[in-house]
Amino acid sequence: MRRFLGFIAAVGLLSAACGGTASPASTGSPGTSAAATSGAAAGKPAGKEIVVASSMALTGGFADVGKEYDKTYRHYFDELNKNGGLLGRPVKLVLNDDESDPKKAASLYEKYITSDKADLLIGPYPTPILAAVIPITEREKMVLVQAGTASASLLQGHNNKYTFLGFTFLDRDYAKPWMDWIKTLPADQQPKTMAIFTLNNPFTIGVQKGLADLAKQANINVAVNEVYDANASDFTALVQKAKTANADAVALLSYYPDSVQIVKTMAEQKLKPKTWYNAISSTVPTWSSDLKDLGDGTVTPVQVWHTQKTAGVQQLYDWSKTEFKTDFIPFHVGSAQTVAEVLTAGVKGCGKIDQDCIAEWLRQNPVPTVSGQLKYDSEGIPQYSAILVQTQKGKDLAIYPPEVADGKAVYPA
Amino acid sequence: MSKTVPLPSQWERLAEGTQRLRPFGAWLVLLTLLIVFPLLQPPLFYMRLVGTILLFVVLAQSWNIIGGYTGYISFGHVTFFGIGAYVAALLFRSAGWPPYAAALPAGLAAALFALLIGFPTLRLRGPYFAIATLALSLIVQVALANLPFTGSGEGIVVRGGMPFTRVALEQAFYFCYLALAGLTVGAVIWMERSKFGYGLRAIRDDQDVALSVGVSAIRLKLAAFALSSFFAGMAGSVYAHQAAYVSAPDVFTLDISIKSLVYAVVGGTSTVLGPVIGSVLMELLNIGLTTSALGQIRIDHIVFGVLLAIVVLAAPRGIMGALQSLSHIRRPRRTGRG
Amino acid sequence: MTNVFQTLLSGLLSGGVYALPAVGLSLIWGVMKIVNIAHGVLALLGSYLALTLFRALGIDPLLAAVLMLPVFFLIGLIVQHTLVRPVINQPEISSLMILFAFTIVLENVITRVWTGDFRAMTPAYSGMSLDFAGANLSVVRTITFGLAVVAVFGLDALLARTYIGKAIRATAQNQTAAMLAGIDTDRVALIAFGIGTALAGVAGVALGLIYSFHPSVHILWVVKSFLVTVLGGVGNIRGAFAAGLLLGVAESFLGTYVSFRWVDFFIYGLLLLVLLVRPQGLLRGAASA
């Protein structure tokens, strides 16, 4: 017994001393412009709280992005409460750490639904988590607006009625902006050989399938198409293969920690393709500080850019600049904002907290968001829209499509 | 003049009763309570909780067959659970089989695999068998995550296996787990009194001696391993439907192997009641530690490890052993008792 | 072909680092006849401590590796004395169980202190490489290879030249004979565990320099170390080093020329095969090595 208490005490002391990575109790930064996207009367919300519940990867392998969602959700609902709340009532966001563990996320959502009786749910991140959570929310008939997975294998073909996607492209379209941009290059300069490194995960495999198709259509030879398991730690062999094949286009379909490792390995092995793409890593704010100049030249898709003329994009840009110390809106901040906007639009459109009504409303009506006007199909998937962004000297610039570009592409990277 | 035999104290009666399982009546009462419980439509959260406890009863009790009675500690029990889950998922994907239909093939597949792999591995000494089972869980995980027909990295979605609505669905899963728990506990009760069980315990205690009295060690060990895996596989098949998504890294977690082992050992190996008590107490502790306000501290594995260490160092027969010792302390030396 | 050469070189470099955790494991196994399943999590603790020293105090990981030696030696002594020694007379499985218990406790402690986030150490020289006869040698890996060589040959010298080293070897060969020769085998076991754990700490720093790590990787580390140990011969330090190199090269060639995604399967499969096929001390009834 004493040993047990000793352990507890020791752990408590250590946690107190070294902690600080616990979920922030942030209330968002003050002072964004008064006009909120909701346009509701700026009165104080009154009445019974509306509880919006979520789990998020605040620690663990997905935490780099999970923290962006956490901050953005909190910011959104703080702003909402400052501007009259939802249906005139204050909103309380309940967000707990699922430690990047699908089982923990599943049990948290079950608890929210069956035990805590939350009014509304909002989506976690990323695909493995959603794979465990979507069956639960669909079974319980609770609306889940999420930008955690864009995996067609999870979102299509299962008769989902309550799941709504906050991303504006599915996994198979993730690489489309890259390939579309490549087509704008002069024909003799386009890359001829591609190497694709894919994590063994439903989302990244979906991206890979789409990319392989697009590459074939563009007559690019996919010479190396390798999948690696989550436990792989040494990417030298992969990079070697790409070098042997003289790949001048490389795609990193991986989450942040792996992407960083692969980039370092590419530098060590001197693999320098003309263009290299990463699905979801380079707009994480620590990309350039972790990799320094090794991270330059890469391209990645986003759905929200400050050069767009969508509703609320300027406020989001101002806020995220101070919050994340970047000069762009990180990809997942944009998608998190979109998710929150879609959820509140559905509630407002319906006029009450009724899951079926909300779902039906979202399917029938276009939703104005920071990603544009979203029109949902019967499976809760919006129309395609994507922007290609490149990291140049530590800064991120949109390079495609031309109407939102704020920088010139650097090619070869 | 004969000594008067003192009457047994309450503790002694309890310990004796629990150990000898004379009151089948007690099991019947428990079973009835467990059957009635979900029919009373309790909050879904509690029904789920009891269902999960029942799942761990199956896992811990099945582990007990090979780890407790046969003495072959396994660090890879999740392997068979995972195989069962995949078989159920594949049967669903190709032919729409619901969990109660898939359970038997899932269990059989797991048992078959155990037989195949048991033949070479059960020759190993204790610690090496343990490490081999650990390696096995890793191998099977990697294989299933990369083979194309098992969905490779994408996993398999298993939704709609049972066309019930919300509450009825939860009840259905609950009853699946209850049935499995009943089967597993029943199998161990039978095993304890059978020649099979005696043979296993002989092997556990001293294999060389057992061999010398004619116990066919390899056959019994294989049978125990297969039986243990059979139940784990069936549990996996129900789990696949409940989680509605099967993917190798999520299903083959070391955590499940750890829990199967810890719950059985802390409860008391080589007893029928040990894994049951262990599962109930430890899973409640686990839930308390991970979902309550206190639980944001998340030290469940620290607690498991400490309890396991305590058992190894001081109380090798776990909670059941402690209960028995308690009864011996209070009971004065009797005459005529072994 | 430069590519074959590159593959070979990369394999050797990573193989050397496999040897580092393996030799500590091999030492403990050879002397005490127990498999220290906690070896991986102890190494991981070394990784995290080096990370903290690096981030908070700017201490270069190589310096941290040296600092780890006495700290982990002490940790090894404590673990051996409080956990392993009390069960030494119980069946072999008890020591494995208690070390397993320690492993899951320590992993949980690590997660609480450092969170489950993926970590990497990035000193100034990461990402750089040297040119060597047409192949690229990663600077970090060359350094860790050097660390491994120093540690392994240091241990080898210790075992060959010092009194305690001879005592350790004697106890590993035949405990009874060693006792009869007047060696305090209890103390030898204690010290061997300490040395093995010290090497685990250093191994953790090396592994943490090349790979990213998180609280649950230790199982993979210990499984690979186990493989290297068995391949090289339990208790055989030089054998472990050679086996480590072999494993690194095998992984490298398999990954580059056969199939990257199946490399782990081959490795764990090899472990299982080795366990089943290799005799000496692993089978029931066989005399212990």
Side-chain angles (χ1 to χ4, degrees):
Chain A
M1 189 60 191
R2 233 184 293 152
R3 209 184 294 178
F4 177 45
L5 289 173
F7 262 110
I8 304 281
V11 166
L13 280 170
L14 280 170
S15 302
C18 302
T21 49
S23 68
S26 75
T27 52
S29 63
T32 48
S33 75
T37 50
S38 63
K44 233 183 143 348
K48 189 157 167 290
E49 271 185 337
I50 296 180
V51 174
V52 176
S54 169
S55 82
M56 191 47 67
L58 299 176
T59 60
F62 306 130
D64 307 283
V65 169
K67 291 185 190 140
E68 291 178 34
Y69 279 84
D70 176 49
K71 291 186 176 161
T72 311
Y73 284 168
R74 285 186 198 281
H75 168 74
Y76 180 87
F77 288 110
D78 283 340
E79 289 298 301
L80 191 63
N81 280 334
K82 283 190 200 134
N83 289 287
L86 183 59
L87 303 177
R89 292 160 59 185
V91 174
K92 179 170 166 205
L93 175 68
V94 169
L95 192 146
N96 289 303
D97 186 4
D98 57 38
E99 297 179 51
S100 304
D101 180 352
K103 290 204 185 68
K104 290 207 168 75
S107 61
L108 278 171
Y109 275 90
E110 289 219 3
K111 183 161 114 45
Y112 296 147
I113 300 172
T114 58
S115 174
D116 302 341
K117 308 254 190 282
D119 298 295
L120 295 168
L121 299 174
I122 197 167
Y125 173 85
T127 296
I129 306 271
L130 266 303
V133 171
I134 289 179
I136 297 172
T137 53
E138 283 286 330
R139 196 187 281 166
E140 303 285 351
K141 298 191 177 8
M142 294 279 295
V143 168
L144 186 73
V145 186
Q146 58 88 18
T149 187
S151 200
S153 63
L154 293 176
L155 297 174
Q156 293 183 318
H158 298 294
N159 213 12
N160 288 341
K161 293 213 169 20
Y162 298 90
T163 310
F164 291 89
L165 181 62
F167 288 129
T168 58
F169 33 95
L170 282 177
D171 51 1
R172 58 166 183 262
D173 290 328
Y174 247 74
K176 192 157 141 50
W178 185 38
M179 299 306 295
D180 286 346
W181 167 71
I182 285 179
K183 279 194 263 199
T184 67
L185 299 169
D188 55 337
Q189 287 181 28
Q190 287 181 17
K192 306 267 179 308
T193 320
M194 184 181 286
I196 309 179
F197 305 144
T198 312
L199 169 68
N200 200 6
N201 163 293
F203 161 65
T204 42
I205 289 187
V207 177
Q208 175 215 43
K209 287 188 182 157
L211 176 56
D213 284 340
L214 289 169
K216 210 162 108 183
Q217 287 166 26
N219 285 319
I220 298 179
N221 173 31
V222 181
V224 176
N225 193 353
E226 291 285 337
V227 170
Y228 68 88
D229 246 358
N231 290 325
S233 46
D234 191 335
F235 299 102
T236 316
L238 278 186
V239 172
Q240 265 301 296
K241 274 182 151 149
K243 265 193 88 178
T244 317
N246 287 317
D248 45 10
V250 174
L252 272 55
L253 309 184
S254 45
Y255 288 108
Y256 188 79
D258 294 339
S259 299
V260 170
Q261 280 289 104
I262 296 177
V263 173
K264 285 195 212 165
T265 312
M266 282 168 62
E268 284 172 1
Q269 296 300 316
K270 303 208 175 20
L271 173 65
K272 291 196 210 315
K274 288 203 252 183
T275 173
W276 55 291
Y277 165 95
N278 71 89
I280 35 174
S281 307
S282 61
T283 64
V284 174
T286 52
W287 178 260
S288 293
S289 55
D290 279 347
L291 287 173
K292 319 256 186 322
D293 57 337
L294 299 179
D296 284 339
T298 190
V299 296
T300 196
V302 300
Q303 67 188 61
V304 178
W305 205 247
H306 52 272
T307 51
Q308 288 174 302
K309 297 185 179 30
T310 50
V313 74
Q314 201 52 46
Q315 290 98 311
L316 188 63
Y317 183 46
D318 292 335
W319 171 74
S320 57
K321 272 199 293 189
T322 21
E323 184 70 30
F324 299 100
K325 309 210 183 350
T326 54
D327 53 358
F328 58 91
I329 304 173
F331 174 28
H332 294 95
V333 171
S335 37
Q337 177 84 0
T338 307
V339 164
E341 289 174 339
V342 170
L343 180 63
T344 43
V347 174
K348 287 203 185 121
C350 176
K352 53 181 161 60
I353 310 270
D354 176 328
Q355 308 295 325
D356 289 295
C357 168
I358 295 170
E360 201 46 44
W361 190 93
L362 286 173
R363 275 190 285 271
Q364 308 283 4
N365 299 278
V367 185
T369 69
V370 84
S371 305
Q373 275 246 343
L374 302 186
K375 296 191 190 55
Y376 283 103
D377 68 10
S378 58
E379 285 182 301
I381 302 186
Q383 75 279 24
Y384 167 86
S385 123
I387 299 167
L388 192 68
V389 161
Q390 186 178 39
T391 307
Q392 300 174 6
K393 296 210 205 326
K395 291 186 159 343
D396 280 37
L397 298 161
I399 58 172
Y400 184 84
E403 50 268 25
V404 291
D406 63 341
K408 221 165 122 18
V410 170
Y411 181 83
Chain B
M1 203 170 59
S2 61
K3 282 188 176 171
T4 41
V5 176
L7 286 170
S9 74
Q10 275 177 319
W11 280 114
E12 295 158 19
R13 280 208 295 267
L14 176 69
E16 236 190 303
T18 54
Q19 192 196 355
R20 290 156 65 112
L21 301 162
R22 207 181 294 128
F24 270 112
W27 285 112
L28 234 61
V29 169
L30 183 63
L31 195 63
T32 315
L33 285 174
L34 287 172
I35 292 176
V36 167
F37 175 62
L39 300 173
L40 300 173
Q41 305 238 352
L44 286 179
F45 180 72
Y46 291 108
M47 197 154 61
R48 269 260 169 170
L49 177 61
V50 180
T52 306
I53 292 178
L54 289 169
L55 167 61
F56 279 106
V57 168
V58 177
L59 287 173
Q61 191 67 282
S62 56
W63 185 94
N64 193 21
I65 295 176
I66 187 71
Y69 286 99
T70 318
Y72 274 82
I73 306 278
S74 161
F75 281 171
H77 202 53
V78 75
T79 310
F80 307 102
F81 177 77
I83 289 176
Y86 262 89
V87 168
L90 288 169
L91 284 172
F92 176 75
R93 189 177 67 177
S94 55
W97 285 36
Y100 31 86
L104 195 57
L108 288 173
L112 192 65
F113 188 70
L115 283 174
L116 279 169
I117 205 70
F119 194 70
T121 53
L122 286 165
R123 294 182 304 151
L124 298 172
R125 292 217 309 267
Y128 310 113
F129 175 77
I131 307 265
T133 57
L134 182 64
L136 189 67
S137 66
L138 293 171
I139 293 176
V140 174
Q141 177 188 331
V142 173
L144 290 174
N146 286 291
L147 286 169
F149 72 86
T150 54
S152 82
E154 287 179 309
I156 305 176
V157 178
V158 188
R159 282 164 60 183
M162 291 198 287
F164 302 141
T165 55
R166 205 173 163 206
V167 176
L169 191 64
E170 284 302 329
Q171 289 176 329
F173 281 125
Y174 176 96
F175 282 121
C176 284
Y177 285 134
L178 180 58
L180 287 181
L183 278 172
T184 319
V185 173
V188 176
I189 292 178
W190 163 79
M191 202 184 77
E192 258 218 336
R193 292 139 191 274
S194 70
K195 233 174 86 173
F196 177 51
Y198 280 115
L200 290 179
R201 271 170 289 179
I203 293 172
R204 175 199 67 198
D205 291 336
D206 194 323
Q207 186 168 270
D208 298 320
V209 171
L211 284 169
S212 72
V213 298
V215 173
S216 169
I218 188 65
R219 253 199 266 157
L220 290 183
K221 287 193 284 191
L222 277 173
F225 201 31
L227 193 63
S228 160
S229 311
F230 176 68
F231 290 116
M234 288 208 288
S237 79
V238 179
Y239 176 80
H241 283 263
Q242 190 182 39
Y245 176 69
V246 170
S247 126
D250 299 336
V251 162
F252 287 91
T253 53
L254 185 63
D255 189 53
I256 290 182
S257 291
I258 292 177
K259 282 186 179 171
S260 307
L261 185 154
V262 170
Y263 290 7
V265 170
V266 170
T269 51
S270 300
T271 65
V272 177
L273 209 54
V276 177
I277 290 182
S279 301
V280 173
L281 289 176
M282 302 288 283
E283 187 61 17
L284 283 175
L285 185 64
N286 182 40
I287 304 251
L289 283 173
T290 53
T291 59
S292 70
L294 175 73
Q296 290 309 312
I297 307 179
R298 291 186 302 258
I299 49 169
D300 44 320
H301 275 208
I302 292 179
V303 174
F304 287 171
V306 169
L307 287 173
L308 184 61
I310 291 176
V311 165
V312 174
L313 286 172
R317 289 176 309 152
I319 295 178
M320 284 305 296
L323 280 177
Q324 286 172 4
S325 305
L326 220 67
S327 74
H328 286 144
I329 291 170
R330 305 198 103 187
R331 181 194 310 168
R333 258 302 125 216
R334 286 201 200 182
T335 55
R337 281 263 170 202
Chain C
M1 276 224 316
T2 46
N3 284 316
V4 173
F5 184 57
Q6 174 76 68
T7 308
L8 180 67
L9 222 54
S10 306
L12 285 172
L13 286 185
S14 48
V17 181
Y18 283 149
L20 195 43
V23 297
L25 185 73
S26 195
L27 179 68
I28 294 173
W29 192 343
V31 172
M32 299 194 68
K33 311 286 179 274
I34 62 175
V35 182
N36 183 11
I37 196 165
H39 203 70
V41 76
L42 286 164
L44 188 61
L45 181 64
S47 314
Y48 276 99
L49 286 174
L51 177 78
T52 303
L53 287 173
F54 180 60
R55 291 257 175 106
L57 301 172
I59 295 181
D60 186 82
L62 290 177
L63 179 59
V66 175
L67 295 174
M68 292 301 159
L69 282 169
V71 172
F72 275 80
F73 182 73
L74 204 61
I75 293 177
L77 294 183
I78 296 174
V79 170
Q80 203 274 356
H81 190 74
T82 57
L83 294 177
V84 180
R85 203 154 167 276
V87 300
I88 208 76
N89 292 318
Q90 287 186 31
E92 291 181 295
I93 195 68
S94 299
S95 51
L96 185 66
M97 291 277 268
I98 199 145
L99 286 168
F100 186 65
F102 175 72
T103 306
I104 62 182
V105 169
L106 187 54
E107 180 189 320
N108 203 168
V109 170
I110 287 177
T111 314
R112 289 284 64 77
V113 174
W114 281 284
T115 83
D117 291 357
F118 282 42
R119 307 284 185 161
M121 278 190 276
T122 46
Y125 41 85
S126 56
M128 285 170 29
S129 61
L130 312 162
D131 194 33
F132 181 70
N136 293 308
L137 277 186
S138 148
V139 169
V140 182
R141 285 174 195 236
T142 309
I143 291 178
T144 52
F145 185 82
L147 194 60
V149 169
V150 167
V152 169
F153 285 96
L155 179 65
D156 198 53
L158 184 110
L159 288 176
R161 311 245 177 93
T162 64
Y163 175 73
I164 185 68
K166 292 193 189 135
I168 287 175
R169 278 186 296 139
T171 311
Q173 271 179 18
N174 190 326
Q175 185 168 346
T176 318
M179 287 199 307
L180 288 173
I183 295 176
D184 182 350
T185 52
D186 280 344
R187 254 188 91 222
V188 165
L190 184 66
I191 292 180
F193 205 95
I195 296 176
T197 308
L199 287 170
V202 174
V205 179
L207 289 163
L209 269 173
I210 0 184
Y211 302 128
S212 71
F213 50 97
H214 56 278
S216 39
V217 291
H218 63 93
I219 285 288
L220 304 174
W221 288 359
V222 79
V223 166
K224 276 198 181 155
S225 304
F226 188 86
L227 174 60
V228 171
T229 303
V230 175
L231 277 177
V234 177
N236 185 343
I237 302 304
R238 295 183 195 175
F241 188 66
L245 294 177
L246 196 64
L247 186 65
V249 171
E251 262 195 0
S252 190
F253 274 95
L254 276 174
T256 310
Y257 293 106
V258 180
S259 164
F260 192 77
R261 73 195 291 181
W262 288 102
V263 170
D264 274 350
F265 180 81
F266 286 132
I267 299 297
Y268 299 138
L270 182 64
L271 172 60
L272 210 54
L273 205 65
V274 160
L275 271 176
L276 301 178
V277 163
R278 218 162 133 76
Q280 268 94 4
L282 304 186
L283 299 179
R284 231 192 166 86
S288 38

